[in-house]
Amino acid sequence: MLAILIEDEQAVRLATTQTLELGGFGVQACASAEMADAYIKADFAGIIVTDVRLPGKSGLEVLEKARSIDAELPVIIITGHGDVSMAVDAMRHGAYDFLEKPFAAERLLDACLRAQEKRRLVMENRKLKLSWLTHAATPDLIGQSTQIEKVRKFIQSIGPTQIDVLINGATGSGKEVVARQLHLASGCKGEFVAINCGALPESVFESEIFGHEAGAFTSAQKRRIGKLEYAHGGTVFLDEIESMPLNLQIKLLRVLQERSLERLGGNQSIVLDCRIIAATKTDLLKLSAQGQFREDLYYRLSVITMHLPRLNERREDIPLLLSYFVQRAALRYQRQVPVWSASQMQHWMQADWQGNVRELRNFADQLVLGVLEFGDVPVLQSNHAQPATETKLPEKLDAYEASLIQSALEKNANNVAAAAELLGIPKKTLYDKIKKYQKTLSSINPVTG
């Protein structure tokens, strides 16, 4: 966490620096706006805290410069007694928050932590967006959980080796994403060729995979290069390998053992120069015991095996994944990125997500398109969740009051005075209630009016 502090009074500057450092911030303290100019950049990952009255350029000019460089860089304005009108003007021009001297250390730290969290999300979303635009064909492996870090280490270790890999994971858990990452890590210049074994009719399977010569069968009017041959110098991804017909499993086993193939209807031996990554959502050994999958092919494919976790086994990754998918959807559909509260995210993090990452991606699309309301959520899990408890009346009343305040603020562009008038309560009372429901209303940046 980083903060640029601009305060001309040395005693206040030292005290504020100490408060922020105790709260975990790295602080660049400046006595003037001019001194801070060198640190205010578009890629600055922290926040700005500035006094409104400074020698030389004012705090409002700092705000104006910061917004011209990066409109999403949070700036917190500190005002003295009698400068509240200037703070109001600053809020109208995009300041994140303002504090009136004298302020409690806890109030300062709370505002800075909220601003830093907002900045962190902005920077993370930009990184994800840039990565997606740069490698649109190779989706990122999103997440910071222990499970996903193990997957990353696996890719870094096994990716460059060119060895064949079997990926085991539930539907929608990201098997193709991992396969593409392995291909990227290999450094191979050849193509990444994805084949869904469950989607190919058996009648064309052999021709699609191994290719055919002209005249090999009635409709074979000319030679066709199969997927394995086309992937020369690259990677072939065989998804749903358990769906491959048994008679073709025998041929694939031979190809993998000899690293060569013959086109259907041909006699020429063609060197197989590609990596094979197979994926399955089932236990292939159990299928082998039932006679539905060749055991020898399983052992040939499973020299190196990766097991992917389900989404509900790495719930801490859901906020990052949802932010990533929402950014992609907003770009694709030319829509605004929706904003959610911490309580809504907590609710989503407790959902079961039976469809795993794929279901979460579809959910993000629906949020961006406005198909869903923020309260909508997939069925909550029943196996691991704690038994539901009846909400008490005061909690229900608080939730209802918070929703009315949220609605009034949104209808009035977060203008507190207008929202207070709509609700029929004094502005001071509304400010107190906004503070009370701070976590629930975390997406609201109230503007004094």
Side-chain angles (χ1 to χ4, degrees):
M1 297 191 296
L2 301 170
I4 297 171
L5 172 64
I6 310 172
E7 170 60 63
D8 60 319
E9 294 184 35
Q10 185 178 11
V12 178
R13 187 168 66 250
L14 291 173
T16 306
T17 298
Q18 184 179 36
T19 297
L20 291 174
E21 287 178 342
L22 288 173
F25 281 88
V27 182
Q28 181 62 56
C30 303
S32 68
E34 289 76 11
M35 286 180 62
D37 281 346
Y39 305 106
I40 303 176
K41 300 177 181 178
D43 59 353
F44 178 61
I47 64 172
I48 299 173
V49 181
T50 179
D51 195 351
V52 72
R53 292 189 181 276
L54 297 166
K57 291 192 294 186
S58 70
L60 296 182
E61 289 175 287
V62 171
L63 172 63
E64 183 180 358
K65 174 177 179 175
R67 287 187 61 78
S68 69
I69 293 174
D70 184 344
E72 295 179 290
L73 179 56
V75 179
I76 297 173
I77 300 291
I78 297 176
T79 68
H81 181 69
D83 288 335
V84 176
S85 61
M86 295 179 70
V88 170
D89 189 45
M91 295 292 285
R92 285 176 175 159
H93 285 83
Y96 178 80
D97 202 351
F98 76 91
L99 305 174
E100 186 178 2
K101 296 178 182 178
F103 50 82
E106 294 79 7
R107 171 77 175 89
L108 168 70
L109 194 56
D110 176 69
C112 290
L113 288 171
R114 284 187 288 109
Q116 180 64 68
E117 177 62 14
K118 178 182 178 181
R119 185 60 173 169
R120 185 189 69 79
L121 290 173
V122 165
M123 298 301 285
E124 183 66 34
N125 285 341
R126 288 180 183 175
K127 180 181 176 182
L128 294 176
K129 180 179 177 180
L130 178 61
S131 178
W132 178 57
L133 290 172
T134 306
H135 302 290
T138 306
D140 276 329
L141 195 62
I142 308 300
Q144 298 177 343
S145 62
T146 302
Q147 296 93 327
I148 217 66
E149 285 300 325
K150 288 180 180 178
V151 174
R152 282 199 185 92
K153 289 179 180 178
F154 179 95
I155 292 170
Q156 292 169 1
S157 174
I158 300 301
T161 65
Q162 300 297 310
I163 194 168
D164 297 340
V165 177
L166 176 64
I167 303 174
N168 199 308
T171 298
S173 58
K175 296 187 288 294
E176 184 169 346
V177 172
V178 171
R180 287 184 179 274
Q181 287 286 334
L182 283 166
H183 173 67
L184 189 66
S186 71
C188 291
K189 302 301 182 183
E191 299 287 338
F192 177 89
V193 180
I195 304 167
N196 189 321
C197 299
L200 281 177
E202 187 171 351
S203 58
V204 301
F205 204 109
E206 187 172 6
S207 176
E208 283 289 320
I209 300 294
F210 304 106
H212 65 251
E213 297 289 351
F217 46 89
T218 306
S219 59
Q221 298 179 359
K222 60 182 180 179
R223 173 187 288 176
R224 176 182 175 83
I225 301 299
K227 301 293 188 184
L228 293 177
E229 188 178 348
Y230 175 71
H232 184 82
T235 301
V236 171
F237 175 58
L238 297 173
D239 198 9
E240 297 188 29
I241 187 69
E242 70 276 8
S243 303
M244 179 176 283
L246 282 169
N247 63 313
L248 293 180
Q249 290 180 26
I250 300 172
K251 189 167 184 178
L252 178 63
L253 175 62
R254 181 179 176 183
V255 167
L256 294 180
Q257 287 175 336
E258 298 180 3
R259 305 311 285 191
S260 67
L261 60 87
E262 293 178 3
R263 301 189 193 101
L264 186 62
N267 296 314
Q268 181 184 0
S269 180
I270 301 165
V271 174
L272 179 67
D273 180 23
C274 67
R275 178 188 221 160
I276 303 295
I277 300 178
T280 180
K281 61 180 180 294
T282 61
D283 188 330
L284 294 182
L285 268 182
K286 286 185 179 180
L287 288 182
S288 298
Q290 298 165 8
Q292 298 178 40
F293 195 85
R294 291 189 62 87
E295 186 176 7
D296 48 5
L297 178 57
Y298 165 74
Y299 284 115
R300 181 63 188 80
L301 291 170
S302 64
V303 176
I304 298 293
T305 303
M306 172 191 289
H307 297 277
L308 290 185
R310 300 183 64 92
L311 183 57
N312 58 22
E313 294 172 346
R314 55 181 187 112
R315 296 181 182 278
E316 60 267 46
D317 290 335
I318 289 176
L320 281 176
L321 282 163
L322 190 58
S323 295
Y324 175 76
F325 291 136
V326 162
Q327 286 286 343
R328 290 186 60 177
L331 281 171
R332 186 164 61 251
Y333 303 124
Q334 297 298 299
R335 297 288 184 91
Q336 292 293 317
V337 175
V339 179
W340 50 77
S341 68
S343 61
Q344 287 165 334
M345 180 56 72
Q346 285 297 321
H347 192 51
W348 295 334
M349 288 176 70
Q350 293 307 311
D352 197 14
W353 302 111
Q354 284 292 325
N356 296 294
V357 178
R358 183 179 296 131
E359 183 183 0
L360 185 68
R361 183 187 62 199
N362 294 341
F363 183 71
D365 283 359
Q366 293 167 337
L367 282 180
V368 170
L369 292 170
V371 176
L372 295 177
E373 298 294 333
F374 278 110
D376 293 339
V377 69
V379 178
L380 291 176
Q381 62 165 353
S382 56
N383 294 336
H384 307 291
Q386 295 296 321
T389 55
E390 184 65 28
T391 305
K392 305 299 183 185
L393 180 59
E395 295 172 347
K396 290 181 178 180
L397 291 174
D398 284 349
Y400 181 60
E401 186 176 55
S403 69
L404 291 177
I405 292 172
Q406 174 105 14
S407 177
L409 286 166
E410 289 176 347
K411 288 178 181 178
N412 291 279
N414 297 345
N415 186 290
V416 175
E421 183 175 352
L422 177 64
L423 293 167
I425 60 176
K427 187 166 63 174
K428 172 70 165 60
T429 301
L430 181 54
Y431 268 119
D432 291 339
K433 291 184 180 296
I434 289 173
K435 185 175 181 180
K436 175 182 178 181
Y437 302 122
Q438 179 177 301
K439 291 183 178 179
T440 305
L441 302 172
S442 61
S443 63
I444 294 297
N445 185 14
V447 177
T448 304

